[in-house]
Amino acid sequence: MNPPNTENIYLPKLAVLDRVVDDIPEVKTFYWRFEDPAEQAKFKHFRPGQFAQVSLFGVGEFPASLPPSPTEEETFFTIRQVGSCTSALHQLKPRDKFAVRGPYGNGFPMEEYEGRNLTFVAGGIGLIPLRSCIVYALQNRAKYGRIQVFYGAKTPGELMYLTDLRAWEKGGAMECHLTVDRAANGWDGHVGVVGSLFKKSGVDMPVDNTTAFVCGPPVMFRFVIKDLLALGFKENHIMSTLERYMKCGVGKCGHCCIGVAYICVDGPVFTYEQIKKLGEDI
Ligand SMILES: Cc1cc2nc3c(=O)[nH]c(=O)nc-3n(C[C@H](O)[C@H](O)[C@H](O)COP(=O)(O)OP(=O)(O)OC[C@H]3O[C@@H](n4cnc5c(N)ncnc54)[C@H](O)[C@@H]3O)c2cc1C
Ligand code: FES
């Protein structure tokens, strides 16, 4: 008989910050690794769309998406400073320690989309949870059809992962269409909400063989869903991630419940069909 598993599921493992890179105002990317290489090796088996709980000693814990693809060399979080925990992380310097537990949540079932076209639609920091899927799809390019990214932010200075977006586009592996609500700093690209890119650049691929991934602020989500449904996308071919206040992250405390679903274990990835059934008012 196997000995009982006595590991405390709430106990995070020590992590060391390697470097911090400014992304857009109030958003930084934190490259880190577990102090124990064995923990690092275990953690690398996460799926795109999963999240982790990040602990700042004496402050608290918060959920954060995993923006790297599992096969990328470095592990990192991209975090907007909004309150006590995220501010404490933003104060850390290279070699400082914090703690991480996870990965948690269902993630995107990337195998189910093989053979299909992928359309990613993101607004603002909604690109963070989608980054992992985009990189995963590019690393497994032969398994997917056409890949398009439609991404919008309020101003050009608030477009995230710009270096990545430009690199991914190179060689024609994927198309990237950008827009801003307000042009500035010599921006000569598209101006308008992200859905207006559909008309300009065209989701001109057969929608019955295309899966759409939508992440962004609620107002963007509502309009983009309307546009995608009008283009003929089926509700079960539109994927998104839901954000809720979380405490345990492992289906025990009930903080994240919407109806019968625990966002931390049944999600955070849901189809639009499921989101509608949950009665979620996004
Ligand atoms: C699954 C999941 C993945 C996430 N991934 C990321 C990520 O990759 N990068 C990132 O920057 N953020 C992410 N978030 C949001 C992040 O968890 C919150 O911003 C964080 O918990 C705030 O903690 P805090 O202590 O700094 O702020 P607090 O002091 O707790 O709150 C500050 C302000 O932020 C608001 N707030 C706090 N949490 C949330 C939330 N979950 N949704 C909406 N408003 C909130 C509060 O109402 C308050 O106004 C994610 C959330 C979830 C549930
Ligand atoms: S965060 Fe505790 S049940 Fe989901």
Side-chain angles (χ1 to χ4, degrees):
M1 204 168 85
N2 289 332
N5 184 356
T6 53
E7 193 176 0
N8 180 346
I9 55 168
Y10 300 112
L11 192 67
K13 303 288 188 293
L14 275 181
V16 185
L17 187 61
D18 282 331
R19 62 196 172 94
V20 183
V21 175
D22 288 332
D23 203 310
I24 56 171
E26 292 173 5
V27 178
K28 292 181 181 186
T29 293
F30 299 86
Y31 291 84
W32 61 276
R33 70 198 137 75
F34 282 105
E35 206 170 48
D36 177 354
E39 290 298 334
Q40 184 76 10
K42 265 200 279 176
F43 189 82
K44 290 296 276 185
H45 294 291
F46 66 85
R47 285 190 304 282
Q50 286 194 288
F51 69 95
Q53 291 284 57
V54 182
S55 283
L56 285 306
F57 306 126
V59 187
E61 205 179 29
F62 72 96
S65 306
L66 295 166
S69 165
T71 45
E72 269 180 289
E73 192 60 35
E74 290 185 290
T75 316
F76 56 90
F77 296 119
T78 301
I79 303 298
R80 176 158 65 185
Q81 180 175 352
V82 294
S84 46
C85 292
T86 50
S87 297
L89 182 68
H90 272 244
Q91 302 308 314
L92 296 188
K93 303 272 175 298
R95 290 191 293 283
D96 282 347
K97 290 186 186 168
F98 58 106
V100 176
R101 60 187 175 93
Y104 297 135
N106 56 356
F108 290 96
M110 296 304 289
E111 325 73 43
E112 283 180 22
Y113 317 134
E114 287 178 11
R116 298 178 63 81
N117 304 307
L118 309 178
T119 290
F120 295 94
V121 189
I125 64 167
L127 193 57
I128 299 173
L130 294 186
R131 188 193 177 283
S132 182
C133 301
I134 298 170
V135 176
Y136 179 93
L138 291 174
Q139 287 172 332
N140 293 274
R141 190 65 193 87
K143 294 183 179 168
Y144 300 99
R146 201 164 145 198
I147 304 177
Q148 288 184 307
V149 174
F150 297 92
Y151 176 45
K154 285 186 190 145
T155 62
E158 288 163 272
L159 288 165
M160 304 189 49
Y161 296 139
L162 261 188
T163 316
D164 283 340
L165 287 161
R166 298 290 178 224
W168 297 336
E169 254 193 323
K170 270 199 183 137
M174 122 191 161
E175 300 150 50
C176 175
H177 307 285
L178 303 181
T179 186
V180 294
D181 295 346
R182 293 188 304 280
N185 308 333
W187 174 261
D188 61 357
H190 188 70
V191 178
V193 294
V194 72
S196 65
L197 283 173
F198 299 156
K199 289 195 192 84
K200 179 181 173 272
S201 313
V203 183
D204 54 350
M205 39 202 196
V207 292
D208 50 350
N209 193 33
T210 303
T211 299
F213 302 73
V214 185
C215 271
V219 63
M220 178 217 106
F221 186 84
R222 278 195 289 272
F223 282 107
V224 166
I225 294 291
K226 235 169 128 185
D227 291 338
L228 292 175
L229 294 174
L231 284 164
F233 278 85
K234 298 270 184 308
E235 290 179 351
N236 61 339
H237 289 158
I238 301 175
M239 312 298 303
S240 189
T241 68
L242 291 183
E243 260 198 32
R244 270 300 165 277
Y245 289 103
M246 289 183 183
K247 284 284 176 206
C248 70
V250 290
K252 305 286 183 202
C253 72
H255 263 78
C256 66
C257 284
I258 304 177
V260 294
Y262 286 74
I263 304 306
C264 64
V265 288
D266 302 319
V269 172
F270 293 95
T271 65
Y272 178 59
E273 189 180 35
Q274 291 170 320
I275 292 173
K276 263 183 52 179
K277 282 192 187 137
L278 289 174
E280 175 63 339
D281 181 24
I282 300 194

